[in-house]
Amino acid sequence: MPDVSWALGRATELAERGPQHGGNPRVGCVLLAADGAVVSEGWHGGAGTAHAEAAALAGADPARLRGATAVVTLEPCHHSGRTPPCSRALHAAGIARVVHAVGDPDPVASGGARWLAGQGVDVLTAEDAGVPVDVTGRAARVSAAWVTAMRRRRPWVVGKSAMSLDGRVAAADGTSRWITGAAARTHAHTVRADVDAVVVGTGTVLTDDPALTARRADGTLACHQPLRVVVGRRAVPPGAALRQAPGDWLHLPTRDLRAALDQLWDAGVRRVLVEGGPTLLSRALREHLVDELHAYLAPVLLGGGLPAVTDLGVSTLAGAPRWRPVTTRTLGEDLLVVAHRPEGDL
Ligand SMILES: NC(=O)c1ccc[n+]([C@@H]2O[C@H](COP(=O)([O-])OP(=O)(O)OC[C@H]3O[C@@H](n4cnc5c(N)ncnc54)[C@H](OP(=O)(O)O)[C@@H]3O)[C@@H](O)[C@H]2O)c1
């Protein structure tokens, strides 16, 4: 058997090139000939473009596909959307074996593994194919946010806060621009450019008047602009910057965050960035609606002012949920900590 473990690791690297916005999962695919040589590889570049399997098949010499193994990070789809089903394309090309890391939770697109097995293709999960747990785990993580959102039928929520070392997002006099440096702010814009929607509360709109666009370091607009969403009962002022900026924006005049997320889900939003402020972020945390936290920490002490989060309903240390650190990196003089909600709380 060709080195499926290596191929799944490579497929994961390829998947990571794809966008996290646009409603589709990140997927990578490596096609291995019967002798283990790599025939071709592909990844999904976002909604409306070829799926990873189709991209890999398109780049392959058809003669080398008979009896080949397709190694994919996600079960091949089995439905005709903007692109034809990958299950049928793999079968038609003569693929003999399919190894996938994660099953497709989308009720519309799933069923590829069963259909392929019914056609006599040898279909294995990565685990059954003997791929080591760390390789399978990394492959699963590449689409975990999308998979979780699909299973739950609610967007994956990233909560963001840019704070001082002592956890403040504004000084005592209300000044808050800028707590973090240029590198951290540029990074935050790349995150904006990789979500379907950016959400803030009315308080942030009335205080800061943000445009909420995703911008590059030179100030130009990024290729993908998220939907800009304001949540809260107060009106968005007629002259608000987010009204003038290019792209779509939406005011949800409610404090019911679950209903707001349901409405965004129905509008096709799968990945959301809640940028604050502290009132909105705290409510979202308290209601267990935040899946991933991005805490930008600047080496400045404010001693007072607005805390990044307020009452979370935690009364004793033992009752405080411990988040799972995913990455820590320095951005200029600042630090970014990315953490996921504790397992089992999803
Ligand atoms: N450093 C950072 O990362 C960062 C990011 C954003 C903001 N900020 C700072 O935060 C400050 C603004 O803070 P803020 O807390 O007033 O802003 P906010 O969280 O954006 O807005 C709070 C408002 O949101 C509405 N809201 C929507 N859903 C709600 C819910 N479930 N529960 C309660 N209220 C809800 C309420 O207004 P309605 O009465 O309209 O319903 C509430 O007053 C500014 O100084 C800004 O600079 C800092």
Side-chain angles (χ1 to χ4, degrees), residues 164 166-173 301-307:
S164 63
D166 53 344
R168 308 283 166 166
V169 296
D173 67 352
L301 294 168
L302 293 174
L306 211 52

Side-chain angles (χ1 to χ4, degrees), residues 160-163 169-170 174 176 179 200-205 207-208 231-234 254-257 275-281 283 287 306:
K160 175 225 151 178
S161 189
M163 64 185 89
V169 296
S176 62
I179 289 177
V200 293
T202 46
T204 297
V205 171
T207 313
D208 291 350
V231 183
R233 296 179 190 143
R234 283 169 289 174
T254 178
R255 290 184 175 182
D256 185 338
L257 301 184
E275 288 210 6
T279 305
L280 187 74
L281 184 58
R283 285 310 312 181
E287 292 181 35
L306 211 52

